[in-house]
Amino acid sequence: METTSRSLSQNTTDADTDPLAVPPPTINDALPPELLLATFDFIYTEGTEPPSYPRSNAEAVIKHRRHAMLDVMLVCRAWHDLVAASPQYWTTVDVGIRESPQTPSKENGPQTSESQLSALELQLRRSGQLPIHINIEQQHVVDFGAVVDALQVHRHRWQTFNLLASKHTRRRIIRSQLIEIFKNPLPSLTSLQIGRGPLQLAEDEPLIATWFQVKAPRLHSLSSEFHLILPFSPSPLRTLTITGVDLERLYPPLDGLRVQLDQLVELRMEDCNPGAVLSILDTPRLSGLVVDCKTRNHPSPHSLPSYHELKELQWDDLGPDSTFSMLLPLCPNLTFFADYIVGLESEVPLEVIDEPPTLLIEISSIKQKMAAKEFLWPDLEEVLLDSATCAEITELIDGLPSVKRVRVLRDPTTRGSLENQENEKQLLEGLRERVDVAFSLNPDDSAKEESDAHKRPININAILPPELLINIFDILYQDTTESLPFPFPYDEALEHFSRHPLLDLMLVHRGWCNLVQTTPSYWTHTNLGVTDIIARAWRGLSRDAVPWIGKGEIKEVREQLDKSRSLPLHLTIAPGFISDFSIVPHVLKDHASRLETLIILANAASTGVPIRNASPEYLAQLLKLPLPSLKRLQMDELCVTPPTEMDLTLRIDLDAPNLHQLSSHSHLIIPQNPSHLTFLSVSNLDLQSIEAPFDGSQIELPKLLELRITDCEPGPILSAFLTPTLEVLIFRSEDRPSRSPAELPQYSHLRDLQWSDRGRDPVFKLGFQHCPNLTRYANYAVGQETEANIKILINGATILEAEENNSITWPKLEEVMFDCATCANLSVLVDAVPTIRRIRLLRDPIESPLPHNQNLEREKEILVELRRKVDVVFWLDPWTDA
């Protein structure tokens, strides 16, 4: 049985190398825009991952100095236009972001105001109506006022706004320009960052620090440097960062301002007076406070509110601090304290620290207040210190008995004299009997279990949700099922159905097995009888033994069919291994409407084994079911019983309006009219022995593109089928046709003719004259070269014989392929048909000459001359003009 996969593979190779053929499709032809965009989304997401917040000026410049999709846009015009027309890739709007954050070179100098505004308007226009993320680098904005005006039109779409600047920024802006940005409500803004760019009241005025409030009802994250930016109340703000703000020097003065931030959970302060900041903010839900000041002795506030929700306090220890002393009694539920900023351990100057922790200094005062019941110390559980001796740690634990963990960055057992180190080690042994103690960044004892857990292999099911696993499984399943050939050869079917395509995944563990078992799309390709052939081999039984499947196994098949729910079904049946074939139509009756592919497979390895309890009626009954979704049908050679009916040819009128591909052996299957068939293969079909006599009327196949005729008389079949659009005709047989039709229709669209050469053939001669537009001809079936016994041939191609050659009107052939021929005959052919560009010979006329071809020297000379005119190759060698 010949296969489409082999012959089409050869056809594709030839077409790809034909200079007159259509160029191979590009990736844009193969992939629809939707799939390209899905791929681009991964690239864009990776290139625009949200950074840590707040982001530094340098970090932002590096991140946004080139568009995330620039490389994609430079691939080709199609990709450029696709990206440009997709608003989701233009939601990050950059203004003044340079290739270098330093002073630009002459070649890469500042943009003009016009070019900068033009680029800004292009980005805004391409982003459509999606939320936008704005990044402005103050140093490189030419006309800040014009930029503000352009952005204001889209303020309802602002989601994040970052005005990036640093202490090195030289370009100044006017306060009114900055206020102008935020004077109107910003309904979509969730994140705001204002850098410490130079600001002045007017031209030629001194620099100032300012403050203002913004109307942003969805603002969750806010960071301001040098200037104080606060939201109006009520506000959903949850994270606030204030850096380098001197409240006493702000313009205009604060005048007793107080802001209610009911949802704030994290407050970070750097290089500012923490007492002054805390005194203007009402933060009843504050749970984390970070204070990183480079100086101490700030004036303490008159009073501070209580912080009952505060659980974590990080306060950079620069020595006794009145604000710190005032704050501690107001945090009754504090459980974590660090006298340095966690995450910035590398910036702690451990070598110059020579004072005890400030927390210890407070303990004596704390003890007195606790004794007088004026102060209840919080139940601290974890304390992090930059430097402390074991004696100081002991004193700390004595004063704070709730402490369970202590971490010290500088190891006290490695400093000082040897005697001091020994004393410290002894104290440490006693300490570790009371609490977990760790030095530097090494894990403490209580974290060991958690650390070990991280070292264990990660359970992929805990990371990937079932939806993502199914997406991965889909790819693996489709790779296996979508590449199946048609017609489906017996051996390939056995290999495919020997195991479920996802069996390896099902064997990983029960979770994956259940996922595959309950996903209908993984049960759309199933079989009846094929898998049981494999099962017999595993049990040491012969494939030719008594059929395996009976009524008991049918129940299991029904359950498997039910797994696919209502999805299209692709079914392969091996009748030779079904003990009672009469059950099959009843099994498929409820699923016939879903059948998209039906393959009735012959057991080629055991020809002659009959189908038990089957008759032509049961086979006809199966194919007479309504099959509204059927697109592919294959019926191989079947040996049915009773024996008296073995040679009977069935005629089956198929109720399958969407059938596109049909392969039938021995029986005439007629698709519904009008037919949508594009591929038809018939084998061993004798129209004269049909059960219901064939009346000789033509069968209309108006869309048929490829027709294959194997081991049967081609004349009656070509006369019976009306195929006005036929492009490929393949006839393959070991016998010469004996019945020539009186007439054949015209095949004006036929481009490819492959016809087994068995000597002078009147059917071929008649048909060849009806193919005026033929461009390729082969005297064998392409793709079946290995089955051609070319060594026993004694004559060349029949069509090249002088008598045949002179009686033929040649079409404008471009490519010819012969099993064997002499170079002299080929030279005559090329002279007769000058359009020929390629010639393939399976048998080398020089290395293996025909018996009557003894003048090899002359053959060699002719071959050289031929190769000056056309491309000549032997056997399966590639074309040299590819």
Side-chain angles (χ1 to χ4, degrees), residues 1-8 10 708 730 732 754 756 780-790 842 875-876:
M1 173 66 64
E2 57 187 306
T3 66
T4 299
S5 59
R6 296 181 64 189
S7 59
L8 287 183
Q10 180 67 35
R708 299 188 174 207
I730 302 173
R732 180 169 172 246
Q754 303 168 36
S756 294
Y780 60 87
V782 177
Q784 306 297 320
E785 291 86 353
T786 56
E787 299 181 13
N789 195 353
I790 57 177
L842 297 185
W875 187 232
L876 299 180

Side-chain angles (χ1 to χ4, degrees), residues 280-301:
I280 67 169
L281 302 177
D282 283 334
T283 56
R285 295 187 180 180
L286 190 68
S287 60
L289 175 61
V290 181
V291 179
D292 183 10
C293 295
K294 300 299 186 290
T295 59
R296 61 179 177 177
N297 297 325
H298 293 289
S300 59

Side-chain angles (χ1 to χ4, degrees), residues 376-414:
L376 181 61
W377 181 256
D379 292 331
L380 271 177
E381 297 178 0
E382 186 172 348
V383 176
L384 280 59
L385 306 173
D386 50 17
S387 177
T389 65
C390 289
E392 291 170 339
I393 298 174
T394 302
E395 183 181 352
L396 175 67
I397 296 172
D398 291 340
L400 306 173
S402 61
V403 172
K404 299 177 181 179
R405 294 179 179 177
V406 177
R407 180 185 299 280
V408 182
L409 293 183
R410 186 167 66 179
D411 188 347
T413 64
T414 61

Side-chain angles (χ1 to χ4, degrees), residues 662-693:
L662 171 61
S663 175
S664 175
H665 193 289
S666 302
H667 304 287
L668 177 63
I669 300 177
I670 301 177
Q672 192 176 40
N673 191 25
S675 169
H676 292 83
L677 271 187
T678 59
F679 172 89
L680 173 61
S681 175
V682 293
S683 306
N684 198 27
L685 176 63
D686 185 359
L687 296 181
Q688 293 183 345
S689 62
I690 296 178
E691 175 190 17

Side-chain angles (χ1 to χ4, degrees), residues 628-880:
S629 303
L630 192 68
K631 296 180 180 179
R632 290 170 292 277
L633 171 62
Q634 173 184 340
M635 188 171 70
D636 288 351
E637 180 180 7
L638 303 176
C639 186
V640 300
T641 56
T644 55
E645 300 179 354
M646 288 177 61
D647 296 329
L648 190 62
T649 299
L650 298 177
R651 168 177 172 163
I652 302 173
D653 293 296
L654 197 66
D655 183 8
N658 292 305
L659 189 67
H660 286 76
Q661 295 176 297
L662 171 61
S663 175
S664 175
H665 193 289
S666 302
H667 304 287
L668 177 63
I669 300 177
I670 301 177
Q672 192 176 40
N673 191 25
S675 169
H676 292 83
L677 271 187
T678 59
F679 172 89
L680 173 61
S681 175
V682 293
S683 306
N684 198 27
L685 176 63
D686 185 359
L687 296 181
Q688 293 183 345
S689 62
I690 296 178
E691 175 190 17
F694 186 63
D695 59 8
S697 61
Q698 287 188 311
I699 301 172
E700 296 184 9
L701 303 174
K703 298 183 179 181
L704 193 69
L705 302 178
E706 181 172 347
L707 173 61
R708 299 188 174 207
I709 304 172
T710 305
D711 295 332
C712 48
E713 285 289 340
I717 293 176
L718 292 175
S719 299
F721 295 155
L722 185 61
T723 56
T725 61
L726 191 65
E727 296 180 358
V728 180
L729 174 59
I730 302 173
F731 168 68
R732 180 169 172 246
S733 177
E734 297 298 324
D735 302 318
R736 184 190 309 176
S738 59
R739 285 181 276 174
S740 177
E743 186 58 56
L744 286 177
Q746 192 84 350
Y747 298 103
S748 57
H749 292 276
L750 196 69
R751 299 291 187 271
D752 186 353
L753 176 62
Q754 303 168 36
W755 195 283
S756 294
D757 187 353
R758 299 293 176 254
R760 295 185 180 180
D761 181 347
V763 181
F764 166 74
K765 188 173 183 179
L766 179 61
F768 195 78
Q769 301 303 309
H770 288 72
C771 307
N773 298 310
L774 201 64
T775 58
R776 186 170 90 150
Y777 165 70
N779 76 337
Y780 60 87
V782 177
Q784 306 297 320
E785 291 86 353
T786 56
E787 299 181 13
N789 195 353
I790 57 177
K791 292 184 179 180
I792 66 172
L793 296 176
I794 60 175
N795 295 313
T798 304
I799 199 172
L800 298 181
E801 294 178 0
E803 183 178 345
E804 291 289 325
N805 196 341
N806 294 333
S807 63
I808 288 179
T809 301
W810 291 93
K812 295 181 180 180
L813 289 170
E814 299 173 2
E815 184 177 312
V816 291
M817 294 174 280
F818 303 108
D819 46 18
C820 63
T822 66
C823 293
N825 285 343
L826 293 177
S827 179
V828 174
L829 175 64
V830 171
D831 291 339
V833 188
T835 55
I836 292 178
R837 295 289 180 266
R838 292 175 172 177
I839 298 176
R840 180 181 298 278
L841 290 179
L842 297 185
R843 178 165 156 179
D844 190 331
I846 308 301
E847 298 294 333
S848 181
L850 293 170
H852 60 80
N853 188 21
Q854 300 299 325
N855 192 353
L856 295 183
E857 292 302 321
R858 179 55 184 159
E859 283 286 287
K860 292 179 181 178
E861 293 175 0
I862 296 175
L863 180 59
V864 172
E865 294 174 1
L866 268 176
R867 282 180 163 160
R868 292 193 184 113
K869 300 177 181 179
V870 297
D871 187 9
V872 181
V873 296
F874 301 137
W875 187 232
L876 299 180
D877 293 341
W879 300 108
T880 58

Side-chain angles (χ1 to χ4, degrees), residues 448-474:
K448 185 177 181 180
E449 182 179 348
E450 181 180 353
S451 177
D452 291 342
H454 287 295
K455 294 179 182 178
R456 299 189 194 109
I458 298 175
N459 184 352
I460 191 172
N461 297 297
I463 299 175
L464 300 181
E467 295 79 8
L468 186 54
L469 282 173
I470 287 179
N471 288 338
I472 298 172
F473 294 174
D474 284 346

